[in-house]
Protein backbone atom coordinates (compact mmCIF):
# COMPACT_ATOMS: atom_id res chain seq x y z
CA UNK A 1 0.00 0.00 0.00
CA UNK A 2 2.72 2.45 0.98
CA UNK A 3 5.52 2.76 -1.55
CA UNK A 4 8.46 5.13 -1.31
CA UNK A 5 11.11 5.89 -3.92
CA UNK A 6 14.11 8.19 -3.47
CA UNK A 7 15.87 10.04 -6.26
CA UNK A 8 18.35 12.86 -6.81
CA UNK A 9 21.44 11.36 -5.24
CA UNK A 10 24.84 11.81 -6.81
CA UNK A 11 28.36 13.15 -6.48
CA UNK A 12 28.92 16.67 -5.18
CA UNK A 13 31.95 18.62 -3.98
CA UNK A 14 32.35 19.61 -0.35
CA UNK A 15 30.59 22.90 0.27
CA UNK A 16 28.12 22.27 -2.52
CA UNK A 17 24.40 21.56 -2.48
CA UNK A 18 22.12 18.74 -3.49
CA UNK A 19 18.41 18.02 -3.22
CA UNK A 20 17.09 14.51 -2.86
CA UNK A 21 13.43 13.63 -3.34
CA UNK A 22 11.09 10.95 -2.11
CA UNK A 23 8.03 10.15 -4.18
CA UNK A 24 5.35 8.25 -2.31
CA UNK A 25 2.14 6.45 -3.15
CA UNK A 26 -0.96 8.65 -3.14
CA UNK A 27 -1.89 10.00 0.27
CA UNK A 28 1.19 8.77 2.08
CA UNK A 29 2.97 12.10 2.51
CA UNK A 30 -0.12 13.78 3.98
CA UNK A 31 -1.31 10.86 6.13
CA UNK A 32 1.99 9.78 7.66
CA UNK A 33 4.81 11.43 9.53
CA UNK A 34 7.76 11.44 7.16
CA UNK A 35 11.47 11.28 7.80
CA UNK A 36 14.92 11.06 6.26
CA UNK A 37 17.64 8.70 7.48
CA UNK A 38 21.11 7.91 6.21
CA UNK A 39 23.55 5.05 6.49
CA UNK A 40 27.27 4.77 5.80
CA UNK A 41 29.19 1.49 5.42
CA UNK A 42 29.89 -0.08 8.79
CA UNK A 43 27.56 2.28 10.64
CA UNK A 44 23.99 2.04 11.84
CA UNK A 45 21.23 3.92 10.08
CA UNK A 46 20.88 7.35 11.67
CA UNK A 47 18.18 9.97 11.84
CA UNK A 48 18.51 13.08 9.69
CA UNK A 49 15.20 14.97 9.68
CA UNK A 50 11.45 14.56 10.13
CA UNK A 51 8.35 16.53 9.18
CA UNK A 52 4.75 16.51 10.38
CA UNK A 53 1.70 15.80 8.25
CA UNK A 54 0.87 19.45 7.60
CA UNK A 55 4.48 20.69 7.56
CA UNK A 56 3.92 22.64 10.78
CA UNK A 57 6.68 20.88 12.64
CA UNK A 58 10.17 19.73 11.74
CA UNK A 59 12.99 18.01 13.56
CA UNK A 60 16.68 17.80 12.66
CA UNK A 61 19.70 15.91 13.84
CA UNK A 62 22.30 18.20 15.40
CA UNK A 63 24.81 17.21 12.72
CA UNK A 64 22.69 18.70 9.92
CA UNK A 65 20.84 21.51 11.69
CA UNK A 66 21.27 24.79 9.84
CA UNK A 67 22.50 23.06 6.69
CA UNK A 68 19.65 20.75 5.68
CA UNK A 69 15.99 21.61 5.13
CA UNK A 70 13.16 19.09 4.99
CA UNK A 71 9.97 19.95 3.12
CA UNK A 72 7.15 18.29 1.24
CA UNK A 73 4.41 18.91 -1.28
CA UNK A 74 1.30 16.94 -0.38
CA UNK A 75 -0.33 17.54 -3.76
CA UNK A 76 2.67 15.96 -5.49
CA UNK A 77 3.11 13.22 -2.87
CA UNK A 78 6.74 14.19 -2.66
CA UNK A 79 9.11 14.93 0.21
CA UNK A 80 12.42 16.74 -0.21
CA UNK A 81 15.69 17.14 1.60
CA UNK A 82 17.68 20.20 0.57
CA UNK A 83 21.30 19.71 1.58
CA UNK A 84 23.60 22.74 1.66
CA UNK A 85 27.21 23.21 2.72
CA UNK A 86 27.79 19.51 2.30
CA UNK A 87 30.64 17.82 4.11
CA UNK A 88 32.45 14.54 3.36
CA UNK A 89 30.88 13.04 6.48
CA UNK A 90 27.47 13.52 4.85
CA UNK A 91 28.37 10.75 2.41
CA UNK A 92 25.82 7.98 2.84
CA UNK A 93 22.83 6.23 1.38
CA UNK A 94 19.82 8.41 2.14
CA UNK A 95 16.48 6.78 2.89
CA UNK A 96 12.99 8.21 3.19
CA UNK A 97 10.57 6.63 5.65
CA UNK A 98 6.96 6.84 6.78
CA UNK A 99 5.70 6.57 10.37
CA UNK A 100 2.16 5.41 11.17
CA UNK A 101 1.84 6.44 14.81
CA UNK A 102 1.47 10.03 15.94
CA UNK A 103 4.48 12.14 16.82
CA UNK A 104 7.74 12.86 15.02
CA UNK A 105 10.23 10.05 15.39
CA UNK A 106 14.01 9.90 15.44
CA UNK A 107 14.49 6.14 15.73
CA UNK A 108 14.59 3.59 12.92
CA UNK A 109 12.26 1.23 14.74
CA UNK A 110 9.53 3.89 14.90
CA UNK A 111 9.08 3.93 11.12
CA UNK A 112 7.01 1.41 9.23
CA UNK A 113 7.86 1.94 5.56
CA UNK A 114 11.13 2.58 3.75
CA UNK A 115 12.40 3.43 0.30
CA UNK A 116 15.33 1.73 -1.39
CA UNK A 117 17.74 4.60 -0.75
CA UNK A 118 19.78 6.93 -2.93
CA UNK A 119 23.55 7.36 -2.76
CA UNK A 120 25.01 10.76 -1.89
CA UNK A 121 28.77 11.13 -2.15
CA UNK A 122 30.58 14.29 -1.06
CA UNK A 123 34.13 14.64 -2.35
CA UNK A 124 36.94 16.63 -0.77
Amino acid sequence: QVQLAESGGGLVQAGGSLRVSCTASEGTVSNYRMGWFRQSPGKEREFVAAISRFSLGTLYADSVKGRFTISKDNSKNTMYLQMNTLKPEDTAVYYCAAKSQAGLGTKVEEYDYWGQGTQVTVST
Side-chain angles (χ1 to χ4, degrees), residues 1-2 10 14 25 28 34 45 48 58 60 65 68 74 76 92 95 99 103 106 117 119-120:
Q1 295 179 12
V2 175
S25 50
T28 299
M34 304 295 295
R45 192 167 299 185
V48 176
T58 57
Y60 296 93
K65 193 173 299 181
F68 290 11
N74 290 349
K76 298 176 65 175
Y95 298 89
K99 181 176 182 290
T106 61
Q119 177 71 48
V120 173

Side-chain angles (χ1 to χ4, degrees), residues 74-103:
N74 290 349
S75 66
K76 298 176 65 175
N77 284 299
T78 303
M79 177 177 65
Y80 308 94
L81 183 67
Q82 178 66 47
M83 301 179 286
N84 298 326
T85 319
L86 282 162
K87 305 174 181 179
E89 47 264 46
D90 294 319
T91 295
V93 175
Y94 283 72
Y95 298 89
C96 66
K99 181 176 182 290
S100 298
Q101 294 193 11

